[in-house]
Amino acid sequence: MPTLTQIPKHLALNSLYLFGIRRQSTALHFYQNRQLELYASKPAQRLTLRQLIFFGRAMNEDRLIKSANYVRTELPVRIAHRIRDLQALPYVVVTQEGVAKTYELYWFAFEQLRCYPPVTTLKENEEFCRFLIKLLAEHATVIPSLSLGLSLSSRFLPPDQLDSFMRRMLVSRISRRVLAEHHIALSEIHAGTYSESSGEPHVGIIFTGLDVRRSVERCVRLLKARPVKFEEHLGIGMSMNSWPEVIIDGHLDTKFAYIREHLEYIVFELLKNSMHATVIKHSKFTSLPPIRATIVAGENDVGIRISDEGGGLSTPLNQIKTPSDLFSFSHVRNATRLEDSRIGALRTFSSSPQGIRATVGEQVNRWQKDILSKAENEVKSYDPEKEAGVGSHFRIGIGLPMSNIFATYFGGSLELVSMDGWGTDVYLRLPKLGTNLEKIEV
């Protein structure tokens, strides 16, 4: 019988699945692989924002049942494509911690979805929504697990291959969450149990009149609520006790149809980075230069430019050739990927049931818990979260890559322009017509 090191690379993950993670008979696994090939041969039925809005606007029982069965049949197809991607990785990569765990999660989800019976009634749809919520929670560890595994194996993959793989995996993950969360929201709206306090018009998770200025202001408010002294790891001088002001200008009445969670995650991450950089650059001064967020409503898209005087993107600790290297998961392009602190933080998040969902809310909740924990333990000499590599100083390098993927998901773009020694301009462009298909790669 061959050892795992003798197994061809395209069979490596199947071998791990058989011999190490979930033992099954060869016949059963052969059958499952035949099923996988069947689903992986199907194209993903990509959608536009306009289609999602149009279908969900006049929701009734019949449409809700159709939505449930579309999600039920589409999700296993999209997962099957990504399982094939995982199976094509070199064996030295699939044995890295985090990668095999992700494969196991995907296989189990694929089997559950493939075998899920058709939804025919509202009661069955309620059960299906509970199933989706459970599945989403179980996959919260996918981002940190994949990031950990690919960071550790970046020495064995060319940067282009590694980044292309991660992009396909993360875009597919976003697409599946959009389908599942949109259907759950439509179901809750139809049942009268959906709660949304902003008052902005929406269909499911898509806000049809998303107020861009309001979203930027919300991100600023949340970021400025965090004490500067909480950022001890940044080396911020004690003369700083506040964050820089953010001036919002441009077309302030801009509204368009978009997924608010995606827009606010991008803006939140960009402003967070600008605030950190500005405070560090000017830590010896008594005042900080403002950050400027400019909103522009074009004919076909909405643009946001964020400008700071934080010294630029290239630093003595992180020398990059081009700004886009910060989107990379390869240590060749971004050396910080293999920093001990980042690897330690990724290990902690990948082993935590909470994982990382890539939302603003989870970050704010984590900050608030860390602040309370720090206040309660400031007299203690031992801080378990710091020892674990997280807590008040975790920086795992997920924000910019995920922001870029969110921006390009429906055909937008994110461009970083650095004037090293002075500051950074970031240009975000999002399509506002809602006619672009999801950017899913088969």
Side-chain angles (χ1 to χ4, degrees):
M1 180 177 180
T3 65
L4 283 181
T5 56
Q6 297 172 316
I7 295 174
K9 67 179 184 179
H10 69 283
L11 297 177
L13 270 170
N14 284 348
S15 304
L16 287 174
Y17 188 81
L18 276 167
F19 303 128
I21 299 173
R22 187 180 294 270
R23 296 181 180 274
Q24 298 182 5
S25 71
T26 302
L28 176 58
H29 201 71
F30 177 79
Y31 169 74
Q32 289 177 324
N33 264 319
R34 291 291 298 271
Q35 291 297 315
L36 177 69
E37 293 295 341
L38 175 64
Y39 279 82
S41 66
K42 299 177 183 179
Q45 300 298 315
R46 298 182 298 161
L47 299 174
T48 67
L49 276 176
R50 182 173 289 185
Q51 287 174 315
L52 290 170
I53 293 170
F54 178 79
F55 185 82
R57 183 162 268 159
M59 189 52 59
N60 54 36
E61 180 175 347
D62 181 59
R63 285 191 166 212
L64 200 59
I65 299 303
K66 287 182 179 178
S67 173
N69 284 303
Y70 166 73
V71 173
R72 179 184 62 83
T73 55
E74 180 66 13
L75 289 183
V77 172
R78 298 189 183 196
I79 291 178
H81 291 159
R82 301 291 70 85
I83 292 175
R84 295 299 287 140
D85 261 352
L86 286 161
Q87 290 178 339
L89 289 172
Y91 177 68
V92 71
V93 176
V94 306
T95 55
Q96 296 292 338
E97 58 182 302
V99 180
K101 177 181 179 180
T102 300
Y103 182 79
E104 162 73 358
L105 282 171
Y106 278 23
W107 251 118
F108 190 52
F110 171 71
E111 283 297 296
Q112 285 184 300
L113 286 161
R114 181 179 69 81
C115 298
Y116 203 96
V119 178
T120 59
T121 66
L122 288 179
K123 185 175 179 59
E124 289 176 356
N125 181 59
E126 290 178 11
E127 185 62 34
F128 180 60
C129 287
R130 284 192 289 270
F131 165 72
L132 291 177
I133 291 170
K134 181 174 180 289
L135 206 60
L136 290 172
E138 289 173 350
H139 283 233
T141 60
V142 165
I143 291 178
S145 293
L146 275 178
S147 300
L148 174 63
L150 271 294
S151 294
L152 291 173
S153 58
S154 66
R155 293 168 294 174
F156 310 114
L157 287 174
D160 285 345
Q161 183 183 351
L162 189 155
D163 286 334
S164 178
F165 169 82
M166 281 297 288
R167 175 169 181 80
R168 290 195 302 274
M169 296 297 290
L170 294 175
V171 168
S172 179
R173 179 187 181 277
I174 290 173
S175 78
R176 297 192 305 272
R177 291 193 73 89
V178 166
L179 293 183
E181 291 176 349
H182 187 62
H183 176 70
I184 292 167
L186 290 175
S187 299
E188 291 176 348
I189 291 170
H190 186 264
T193 59
Y194 187 81
S195 60
E196 208 295 304
S197 59
S198 71
E200 295 178 85
H202 61 92
V203 175
I205 62 171
I206 304 166
F207 284 73
T208 54
L210 182 57
D211 189 324
V212 179
R213 177 184 182 180
R214 186 173 181 176
S215 287
V216 174
E217 288 175 339
R218 178 173 180 264
C219 292
V220 172
R221 183 174 66 255
L222 292 171
L223 285 164
K224 293 188 72 173
R226 191 182 194 199
V228 176
K229 291 183 179 180
F230 190 56
E231 300 284 0
E232 295 172 349
H233 66 288
L234 296 177
I236 296 172
M238 288 298 102
S239 61
M240 287 296 137
N241 57 16
S242 64
W243 296 107
E245 293 298 320
V246 178
I247 299 172
I248 306 173
D249 59 15
H251 301 156
L252 300 180
D253 59 347
T254 299
K255 297 179 181 179
F256 74 127
Y258 212 73
I259 300 173
R260 187 178 69 182
E261 187 175 87
H262 290 190
L263 171 66
E264 292 189 357
Y265 180 85
I266 299 168
V267 172
F268 186 87
E269 287 295 330
L270 298 179
L271 286 174
K272 180 175 68 175
N273 290 340
S274 288
M275 288 180 172
H276 285 161
T278 300
V279 170
I280 293 173
K281 176 69 174 176
H282 301 272
S283 61
K284 296 181 180 178
F285 298 91
T286 56
S287 62
L288 297 170
I291 296 167
R292 188 176 296 273
T294 304
I295 302 167
V296 178
E299 182 177 350
N300 298 316
D301 53 38
V302 171
I304 301 176
R305 181 188 65 192
I306 296 177
S307 303
D308 66 56
E309 296 178 29
L313 298 174
S314 185
T315 68
L317 296 177
N318 188 23
Q319 296 290 334
I320 55 174
K321 293 182 179 179
T322 65
S324 62
D325 285 349
L326 293 174
F327 298 148
S328 177
F329 286 89
S330 170
H331 81 289
V332 175
R333 291 173 174 164
N334 187 352
T336 62
R337 289 291 166 202
L338 290 179
E339 286 182 353
D340 290 342
S341 60
R342 288 198 176 184
I343 296 298
L346 286 171
R347 281 196 175 107
T348 301
F349 281 115
S350 65
S351 62
S352 167
Q354 285 73 39
I356 295 176
R357 294 174 180 267
T359 66
V360 172
E362 71 170 355
Q363 292 193 59
V364 174
N365 291 338
R366 193 178 296 127
W367 287 353
Q368 291 171 343
K369 290 179 181 178
D370 286 345
I371 292 172
L372 288 174
S373 176
K374 184 174 181 180
E376 293 171 356
N377 295 297
E378 58 185 2
V379 296
K380 299 179 182 179
S381 59
Y382 173 72
D383 186 338
E385 288 194 322
K386 282 191 177 181
E387 293 295 323
V390 292
S392 63
H393 65 289
F394 69 88
R395 300 280 286 174
I396 59 177
I398 294 294
L400 274 178
M402 286 304 302
S403 295
N404 183 50
I405 288 172
F406 276 127
T408 55
Y409 178 56
F410 278 116
S413 63
L414 184 63
E415 181 183 5
L416 312 177
V417 179
S418 177
M419 296 184 67
D420 294 337
W422 182 260
T424 305
D425 286 352
V426 183
Y427 296 87
L428 169 66
R429 182 188 65 81
L430 298 174
K432 72 176 187 180
L433 301 181
T435 56
N436 291 347
L437 289 167
E438 304 166 277
K439 299 299 180 181
I440 305 171
E441 298 179 41
V442 176

